[in-house]
């Protein structure tokens, strides 16, 4: 009855919901229909307990390889509706990684488009939208669905920017003041590991932690390496942009978020850099770095994290969804392993 009788659609989804309210497919479609009709999120507060139960059901399905990849798409939608944007982004990233056909991503994009009237109430909506478009174009570049999405994605490229040249390495990791001393200890190791590298190095664009190490590497190898940093247009007062980077690109963000790594990937795709040709090296990291690891794996990049560097790097290696990812490598803290 879709596109024929929307009242009938709503009635049938409501009946299905009454029979099995935590079924992810049923709940997702019921919520989507109700939100679209009401044009607000008032229903979410009432159904939050049921939605959390459905997330647990999604997790149990994934653990036994059931309902793949839809169980991840459902989890991503539920986290988005429950105002957990980073959990939503991680679930959608996993969905993209295990997706076998472009229509699966296109279907999830259509769901987001139907939620357009409440986008301003959904923190993380833009992140997920950009991730899904990236996933479609990166994973299935020759598909009809990708061709339809590509022009919209290209509109999001950093304005007046030149193409990025390969080979490309992304250096991601801890930038919080609480781990600054620990990150400084990795600097000699990382500088040594980039000896002999010629290409592009992408970092966080600030003087803090691993982002500052990227600036230091630029100083050490000015003729061989070109560095790009991504920072929000508004940065906290205690954060300094690193002038040693060859180029700093600004995002639309009002603070650091997942928007910066997503913009990094949009610019790479626009530069015809295939994700499988990109390497991401991870050291430690917080919430944003955790998203950066998962976005890279979802799009097809090879991600290597230094063992025992802590925080989100350690969590990634033991994550039930990501720990055994085919393109995830565990590295000992030795320069020879990083080369």
């Amino acid at each position: 009855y879709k596109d024929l009788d929307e009242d009938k659609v709503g009635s049938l989804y409501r009946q299905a919901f009454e029979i099995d309210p935590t079924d992810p497919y049923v709940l997702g479609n019921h919520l989507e229909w109700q939100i679209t009709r009401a044009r607000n999120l008032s229903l979410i507060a009432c159904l939050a307990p049921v939605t959390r139960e459905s997330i647990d059901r999604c997790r149990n399905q994934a653990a036994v390889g059931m309902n793949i990849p839809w169980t991840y798409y459902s989890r991503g939608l539920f986290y988005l509706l429950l105002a957990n944007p980073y959990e939503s982004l991680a679930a959608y990233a996993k969905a993209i990684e295990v997706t076998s056909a472009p229509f699966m991503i296109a279907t999830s994009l259509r769901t987001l488009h139907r939620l357009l009237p409440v986008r301003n109430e959904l923190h993380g909506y833009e992140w997920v939208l950009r991730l899904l478009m990236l996933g479609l174009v990166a994973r299935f570049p020759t598909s009809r669905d990708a061709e339809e999405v590509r022009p919209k994605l290209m509109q999001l490229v950093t304005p007046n920017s030149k193409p990025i040249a390969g080979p490309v390495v992304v250096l991601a990791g801890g930038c919080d003041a609480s781990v600054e001393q620990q990150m400084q200890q990795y600097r000699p190791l990382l500088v040594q590991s980039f000896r002999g590298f010629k290409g592009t190095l992408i970092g966080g664009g600030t003087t803090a932690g691993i982002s500052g190490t990227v600036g230091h590497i630029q100083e050490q190898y000015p003729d061989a390496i070109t560095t790009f940093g991504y920072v929000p247009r508004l940065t906290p007062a205690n954060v300094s942009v690193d002038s040693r980077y060859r180029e700093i690109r600004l995002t639309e963000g009002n603070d650091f978020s997942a928007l910066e790594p997503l913009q990094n990937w949009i610019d790479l795709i626009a530069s015809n850099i295939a994700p499988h040709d990109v390497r991401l090296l991870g050291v430690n990291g917080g919430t944003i770095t955790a998203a950066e690891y998962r976005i890279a794996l979802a799009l097809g990049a090879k991600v290597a994290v230094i063992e025992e560097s802590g925080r989100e790097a350690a969590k990634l290696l033991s994550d039930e969804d990501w720990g055994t990812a085919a393109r995830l490598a565990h590295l000992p803290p030795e320069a020879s392993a990083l080369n």
Side-chain angles (χ1 to χ4, degrees):
Y1 291 99
K2 282 187 175 181
D3 300 321
L4 296 175
D5 186 342
E6 290 301 311
D7 289 333
K8 185 70 171 179
V9 169
S11 174
L12 291 172
Y13 278 136
R14 184 167 54 252
Q15 291 177 52
F17 173 77
E18 291 169 356
I19 294 169
D20 191 354
T22 65
D23 180 279
Y25 178 81
V26 169
L27 177 61
N29 281 283
H30 177 61
L31 289 174
E32 177 190 324
W33 191 90
Q34 294 288 348
I35 291 169
T36 301
R37 272 301 177 90
R39 301 179 74 85
N40 62 61
L41 297 177
S42 59
L43 183 68
I44 298 303
C46 300
L47 294 184
V50 172
T51 306
R52 294 190 184 96
E53 286 185 42
S54 190
I55 289 174
D56 290 338
R57 190 164 172 178
C58 288
R59 189 173 288 109
N60 292 334
Q61 288 180 346
V64 296
M66 176 184 174
N67 198 24
I68 305 296
W70 303 111
T71 187
Y72 292 112
Y73 284 113
S74 294
R75 197 195 306 181
L77 174 62
F78 297 154
Y79 276 131
L80 183 64
L81 295 174
L82 291 174
N84 294 309
Y86 283 100
E87 289 88 343
S88 174
L89 200 65
Y92 275 115
K94 186 62 185 180
I96 291 169
E97 193 219 14
V98 297
T99 286
S100 58
F103 81 88
M104 297 173 174
I105 303 178
T107 296
S108 295
L109 271 172
R110 284 192 290 272
T111 294
L112 274 193
H113 290 151
R114 283 191 286 269
L115 294 176
L116 193 63
V118 295
R119 67 188 299 176
N120 293 332
E121 299 178 58
L122 292 172
H123 181 42
Y125 180 96
E126 288 295 331
W127 304 351
V128 172
L129 179 64
R130 295 179 189 209
L131 176 62
L132 289 173
M133 289 194 293
L134 276 167
L136 192 52
V137 172
R139 291 287 318 283
F140 306 98
T142 61
S143 69
R144 180 178 299 178
D145 290 315
E147 289 303 315
E148 291 179 359
V149 164
R150 192 185 306 275
K152 299 175 184 177
L153 189 65
M154 293 304 100
Q155 292 175 2
L156 300 173
V157 174
T158 299
N160 305 315
S161 60
K162 296 180 180 179
I164 297 172
V168 176
V169 174
V170 179
L171 185 55
C175 295
D176 190 85
S178 64
V179 296
E180 180 67 30
Q181 185 174 357
Q182 179 188 355
M183 295 302 98
Q184 290 290 340
Q185 295 173 359
Y186 284 102
R187 179 165 290 184
L189 168 72
L190 293 168
V191 170
Q192 182 182 350
S193 70
F194 280 94
R195 181 175 290 124
F197 173 75
K198 293 183 178 181
T200 296
L201 179 60
I202 295 175
T206 72
T207 58
I210 292 301
S211 291
T213 295
V214 173
H216 186 71
I217 291 172
Q218 177 72 88
E219 278 188 324
Q220 299 302 306
Y221 311 117
D223 298 325
I225 294 177
T226 299
T227 52
F228 292 86
Y230 286 81
V231 300
R233 61 182 177 180
L234 297 177
T235 57
N238 62 337
V239 172
S240 298
V241 175
D242 196 331
S243 61
R244 296 172 297 179
Y245 278 68
R246 191 68 57 83
E247 183 179 338
I248 296 294
R249 296 186 173 185
L250 302 180
T251 71
E252 302 167 358
N254 296 326
D255 197 351
F256 289 94
S257 71
L259 195 58
E260 283 70 56
L262 287 166
Q263 190 62 46
N264 157 8
W265 279 107
I266 290 170
D267 289 353
L268 287 174
I269 294 297
S271 301
N272 294 317
I273 302 290
H276 61 75
D277 291 329
V278 177
R279 302 291 181 267
L280 186 149
L281 177 59
V283 186
N284 190 270
T287 302
I288 298 173
T289 305
E292 194 165 4
Y293 293 154
R294 288 157 176 80
I295 291 168
L297 287 168
L299 298 181
K302 184 174 183 180
V303 174
V305 296
I306 297 179
E307 293 177 343
E308 301 178 4
S309 62
R311 296 171 76 212
E312 290 300 333
K315 291 180 182 178
L316 180 69
L317 297 176
S318 60
D319 189 289
E320 61 182 0
D321 289 329
W322 296 97
T324 58
R327 299 185 68 82
L328 174 62
H330 306 210
L331 293 179
E334 299 157 4
S336 60
L338 272 59
N339 290 333

